Amino acid sequence: MLDQKFISDARSTIRFGMGVEYAAADWLWLRSGFSREEWMMEPSALSPLLYDATDTMLGIGVAHGRWTIDANVGYGFMEDRLVTPAEQPFFPGRYQLESTGFTIGATCRLDDKGT
């Protein structure tokens, strides 16, 4: 039993993203980003304890002088998955996940060159 794969059936995925940065002033930069990833686990590998979703995330950031504050704020847009008994005989049903999150990161550069 210990030589089995953690995820029995998966596919390769790519997370797509883009960002925008705007110079509001010489000392103030505003930035925003967006990313999306499709599910990677096939329905046959899903269970209530091991679940995978398609998600879309939004982020925002502010840079001021030596300080940069980046945040991932708001609601994660997760798509529901309907798994049929033919796809997953042990755990069929609707898989849904809602996510509200907030993370913040702060960076202080110690030199004047901004590196």
Side-chain angles (χ1 to χ4, degrees):
M1 293 300 290
L2 296 177
D3 64 347
Q4 295 184 12
K5 295 188 256 180
F6 183 69
I7 299 174
S8 62
D9 196 10
R11 62 189 179 110
S12 297
T13 63
I14 296 174
R15 178 172 288 279
F16 296 97
M18 67 179 186
V20 176
E21 192 170 71
Y22 172 73
D26 289 341
W27 51 271
L28 179 63
W29 291 76
L30 303 174
R31 57 176 76 150
S32 180
F34 162 87
S35 70
R36 178 173 172 80
E37 181 179 27
E38 297 289 326
W39 52 267
M40 70 166 207
M41 291 174 58
E42 296 295 342
S44 61
L46 294 177
S47 80
L49 299 177
L50 187 59
Y51 176 58
D52 183 28
T54 295
D55 63 12
T56 303
M57 292 189 248
L58 303 171
I60 187 170
V62 175
H64 176 54
R66 292 180 181 198
W67 287 92
T68 301
I69 309 257
D70 288 302
N72 183 8
V73 191
Y75 183 77
F77 301 98
M78 308 286 185
E79 295 178 14
D80 292 354
R81 290 180 70 180
L82 184 59
V83 178
T84 66
E87 295 171 315
Q88 173 51 283
F90 299 110
F91 303 108
R94 179 178 302 279
Y95 287 77
Q96 66 186 115
L97 178 68
E98 292 186 14
S99 171
T100 302
F102 179 78
T103 59
I104 190 162
T107 304
C108 179
R109 291 181 301 278
L110 300 178
D111 64 355
D112 290 332
K113 297 177 184 176
T115 57

